[in-house]
Amino acid sequence: MANFSAAFVTSYDTRNGPTNVTFDLPPDAAVLNSSSSCGKENASAPSLVIAFGRGHRLTLNFTRNATRYSVQLMGFIYNLSDTQIFPNASSKEIKTVESATDIRADINKKYRCVSNNQIHMRNVTVTLHDATIQAYLASSSFSKEETRCEQDGPFPTTAPPPPPRPSPSPTPESPSVHKYNVSGANGTCLLASMGLQLNVTYSKRDNTTVSGLFSIDPSNTSATGSCGAQLVTLDLRSSRIHSLLFQFGMDPNTSQFFLQGIQLNMTVPDARDPTFQADNSSLRALQATIGNSYKCNAEERVEVTEAFSVNIFKVWVQAFQVQGDKFGSVEECQLDENSMLIPIAVGGALAGLVLIVLIAYLIGRKRSHAGYQTI
């Protein structure tokens, strides 16, 4: 069972270039019974398929363990031939996008989220509002007990404070630096050269909490992305990482681009819950003027959630206006500028000390030759 409102923001190509369209889930949207399912034991999981318009479908696929259930995957199928929603689309294709979500609740409790909850699926963003969702119901109505989403917090609690986070394991060698390129209909919209390392805190099967460092190996990683008028994405995938999505936005008021979101869906084999997911779309990192590039030789740490951060090494990135597949004028990070201040200050102090010693020597030498002493 589900009760929510939803808004969609989709980037698509027109004859005049890429554009964004915003539309809501209409009141006449209905459950597609032929595709929805309550699932079968050890064969398939429950799925809720909502259909609207000319062939558009929003799908919620559920999964569970002993104590919790979740929307493991949200998918959206949209038909670009629907001219009411996608006017002047250069293609009439049917597109499919999907992403993991942070929608989860305790068994026999409903998921409740009054705040906006954004799910980013490549070039589509779905925003759920005032959502009540429950799977694996014990009766034909929503449970009276509920699990609230993080967006509605913070919540008062009488539970004991969580144990302190453990010290991270010894840092492995720095990851390999690799150059990534994302292109669209109008050419390259993202250039990035960087090494990446994921810092993940999770619970093992014996309930101990550990921090793991996972370096991105470019030789075993595929890179895709999308170019939009106000959103550029880079999606990295490997055998372990189902999706590591970087989202770059722009601020037209300041004419700057920045890293605004990171989304991770990966497998941690020795974790109690092997599927690790994290998402934050309100970041403000790697920022530079549009047309210029951002560069930082020092290691940068981007905190995504309490349990997940990204270590970025030797980053050089430029989003949106990329000319000739080459980086524009460099804007250096504050960390690099600060690192230069120390040798400058030390050099200045040493030069001052040498000058003082030299002046003292000259004064002393002059006094020693001032004249003969009376005996």
Side-chain angles (χ1 to χ4, degrees):
M1 295 179 64
N3 183 13
F4 56 80
S5 60
F8 299 79
V9 178
T10 306
S11 173
Y12 70 100
D13 292 328
T14 69
R15 299 177 184 88
N16 299 321
T19 187
N20 288 340
V21 63
T22 302
F23 54 95
D24 295 327
L25 188 69
D28 60 353
V31 173
L32 192 63
N33 290 319
S34 60
S35 300
S36 300
S37 168
C38 287
K40 296 181 181 179
E41 187 69 26
N42 298 325
S44 62
S47 63
L48 176 65
V49 182
I50 302 169
F52 65 96
R54 295 180 55 185
H56 312 303
R57 299 184 183 183
L58 180 66
T59 302
L60 282 70
N61 293 318
F62 295 84
T63 187
R64 65 171 291 174
N65 56 27
T67 59
R68 307 197 84 187
Y69 67 90
S70 65
V71 179
Q72 183 184 34
L73 203 67
M74 178 178 287
F76 181 48
I77 299 175
Y78 57 101
N79 185 2
L80 290 174
S81 65
D82 186 348
T83 56
Q84 291 186 348
I85 295 180
F86 305 103
N88 302 318
S90 58
S91 169
K92 305 300 180 184
E93 295 179 276
I94 296 177
K95 299 280 191 177
T96 301
V97 293
E98 60 184 19
S99 173
T101 79
D102 61 355
I103 299 173
R104 55 178 59 88
D106 297 330
I107 295 292
N108 295 326
K109 291 184 181 181
K110 62 188 176 186
Y111 167 85
R112 186 78 177 104
C113 193
V114 178
S115 304
N116 290 343
N117 185 4
Q118 291 188 335
I119 297 92
H120 302 284
M121 300 181 284
R122 292 185 179 271
N123 58 321
V124 177
T125 298
V126 181
T127 303
L128 302 185
H129 179 69
D130 197 13
T132 304
I133 302 172
Q134 188 171 357
Y136 308 98
L137 286 82
S139 64
S140 59
S141 60
F142 285 119
S143 171
K144 293 183 179 180
E145 295 185 279
E146 61 185 26
T147 298
R148 298 298 294 268
C149 64
E150 293 182 0
Q151 291 88 337
D152 284 352
F155 307 106
T157 177
T158 57
R165 293 177 64 179
S167 301
S169 303
T171 304
E173 295 182 3
S174 298
S176 300
V177 176
H178 186 71
K179 188 174 182 179
Y180 304 95
N181 182 308
V182 178
S183 299
N186 295 325
T188 301
C189 64
L190 178 69
L191 280 179
S193 175
M194 55 189 174
L196 297 170
Q197 194 176 75
L198 310 183
N199 194 334
V200 177
T201 300
Y202 59 95
S203 296
K204 299 179 72 173
R205 295 188 180 93
D206 59 1
N207 290 327
T208 58
T209 301
V210 297
S211 289
L213 283 172
F214 306 93
S215 293
I216 300 297
D217 182 2
S219 63
N220 296 324
T221 303
S222 64
T224 58
S226 64
C227 300
Q230 295 185 335
L231 185 68
V232 171
T233 65
L234 172 64
D235 193 4
L236 305 180
R237 302 190 178 206
S238 65
S239 57
R240 171 177 287 179
I241 299 172
H242 308 305
S243 177
L244 175 60
L245 185 68
F246 294 86
Q247 299 166 320
F248 290 87
M250 62 183 297
D251 187 343
N253 296 322
T254 60
S255 298
Q256 290 187 316
F257 72 85
F258 55 91
L259 177 63
Q260 74 172 34
I262 297 178
Q263 179 180 322
L264 174 66
N265 181 7
M266 70 176 294
T267 298
V268 183
D270 62 337
R272 185 175 58 194
D273 183 357
T275 300
F276 182 88
Q277 299 171 356
D279 185 14
N280 189 338
S281 57
S282 59
L283 303 173
R284 193 92 179 189
L286 313 186
Q287 183 171 291
T289 304
I290 294 175
N292 292 350
S293 61
Y294 175 90
K295 191 173 185 180
C296 196
N297 290 318
E299 177 187 348
E300 291 198 71
R301 184 185 181 98
V302 179
E303 295 284 349
V304 182
T305 65
E306 289 187 0
F308 171 53
S309 61
V310 180
N311 302 330
I312 307 179
F313 298 79
K314 296 183 179 179
V315 61
W316 194 4
V317 65
Q318 182 172 349
F320 298 101
Q321 296 181 11
V322 180
Q323 302 296 329
D325 293 339
K326 294 182 179 179
F327 289 108
S329 300
V330 172
E331 295 184 19
E332 293 189 359
C333 65
Q334 191 67 42
L335 290 173
D336 284 355
E337 293 178 358
N338 292 342
S339 65
M340 290 298 295
L341 292 177
I342 296 175
I344 291 173
V346 172
L350 290 175
L353 182 61
V354 170
L355 184 61
I356 291 172
V357 171
L358 180 61
I359 292 173
Y361 169 75
L362 293 175
I363 293 174
R365 189 162 180 252
K366 184 177 180 181
R367 287 180 176 177
S368 64
H369 294 80
Y372 293 104
Q373 293 183 355
T374 302
I375 299 177

